[in-house]
Amino acid sequence: MQELDKLDANSIRGALEAMLLVSSDPVSATDLAAVLGITPGEASEALADLAAEYSDANRGFQLREVAGGWRLFTHPAFHDQVEALVMSWDTRKLSQAALETLAVIAYHQPVTREGVKAIRGVNSDGVIASLVDKGLVREAGRDPQRAQAIRYATTQAFLERFGLKSLRELPDLEQFAPDEESKKFIRERLSGRVIESTLEEAEADFEEERELLSDDTTGDAANE
């Protein structure tokens, strides 16, 4: 195996790109440096070089420093094309794992990855990342009890794809279950008063966020 401390500049940049591609959350330069066996300063310099390279080449993605770490994002200039692709995906063909995870998030939002894992009984990080990529799930702030834990909630696109006006109109997800095992999961794990209470809170948060976005849009229009 190649010694990490012998990586040249190009290898370091390549390794950083590979790690960032599999990271759904921002990763600090310190954490990346620790994996590569280099100093945080060297990692920061390489990351800044990559960000500048992507910008100069007008690539379809960007590297940004956010929330104390680095993360890859799609380029804002291609938002419409990305949105069209995401909206073209057929949510009825979701895998069982994706369906279960989406159901947990939909009925228990906002919920952390650990919260989803506690309900499903298995790690759902990859599935959540996929649902975020599909535009069905979004980051909804940090857990007040665990600042590093990101909470997740459904998106406006989720409502539109399922023909809902609000979270209160969430359908019986059994109709989307591919088999009896999935239906049994939904009945056993996603029932009871706890869900009703959670949905009320989530709906209030959703409406508040939508009002804030509306106010921002109105304010921008007034300033033009």
Side-chain angles (χ1 to χ4, degrees):
M1 191 170 103
Q2 184 181 20
E3 295 285 341
L4 291 180
D5 59 357
K6 292 184 179 179
L7 288 174
D8 58 27
N10 288 331
S11 295
I12 289 175
R13 288 151 61 92
L16 289 172
E17 289 178 318
M19 290 190 289
L20 290 169
L21 279 172
V22 298
S23 302
S24 57
D25 296 326
V27 187
S28 71
T30 300
D31 289 341
L32 292 169
V35 175
L36 295 178
I38 61 178
T39 68
E42 290 176 311
S44 295
E45 182 178 356
L47 289 163
D49 287 344
L50 282 173
E53 178 184 324
Y54 299 155
S55 178
D56 292 341
N58 196 31
R59 302 295 293 272
F61 53 89
Q62 299 177 328
L63 177 58
R64 303 183 212 155
E65 187 174 12
V66 295
W70 293 80
R71 184 179 179 186
L72 291 168
F73 294 86
T74 56
H75 197 297
F78 305 110
H79 169 77
D80 291 344
Q81 290 81 2
V82 172
E83 182 180 49
L85 174 63
V86 170
M87 294 299 289
S88 71
W89 292 334
D90 187 355
T91 56
R92 289 179 180 268
K93 294 182 180 178
L94 291 172
S95 66
Q96 179 178 327
L99 174 67
E100 292 178 358
T101 302
L102 182 59
V104 171
I105 294 174
Y107 283 90
H108 291 270
Q109 59 187 303
V111 60
T112 64
R113 295 183 182 190
E114 285 301 314
V116 175
K117 180 179 179 181
I119 295 175
R120 290 195 65 223
V122 295
N123 186 298
S124 304
D125 292 1
V127 182
I128 292 175
S130 176
L131 290 172
V132 171
D133 288 341
K134 287 179 170 63
L136 299 175
V137 169
R138 62 184 172 84
E139 293 184 2
R142 303 274 177 169
D143 188 334
Q145 305 301 320
R146 297 169 57 236
Q148 297 303 315
I150 297 175
R151 300 195 298 182
Y152 294 89
T154 53
T155 63
Q156 181 65 31
F158 167 82
L159 295 178
E160 292 173 356
R161 292 295 287 178
F162 284 95
L164 307 174
K165 293 182 180 179
S166 72
L167 295 176
R168 294 180 181 278
E169 295 184 359
L170 275 171
D172 178 3
L173 292 183
E174 287 189 32
Q175 65 181 289
F176 299 104
D179 50 45
E180 286 302 319
E181 184 178 354
S182 295
K183 291 182 179 181
K184 181 179 179 181
F185 168 86
I186 292 172
R187 286 193 295 267
E188 292 180 349
R189 300 293 183 88
L190 303 178
S191 61
R193 296 182 178 179
V194 174
I195 288 178
E196 294 178 3
S197 174
T198 303
L199 280 178
E200 290 179 359
E201 296 176 5
E203 180 69 14
D205 292 341
F206 191 89
E207 289 299 326
E208 181 178 356
E209 180 176 343
R210 186 155 54 184
E211 289 177 3
L212 288 174
L213 289 174
S214 177
D215 291 342
D216 289 341
T217 302
T218 303
D220 291 341
N223 291 328
E224 291 180 352

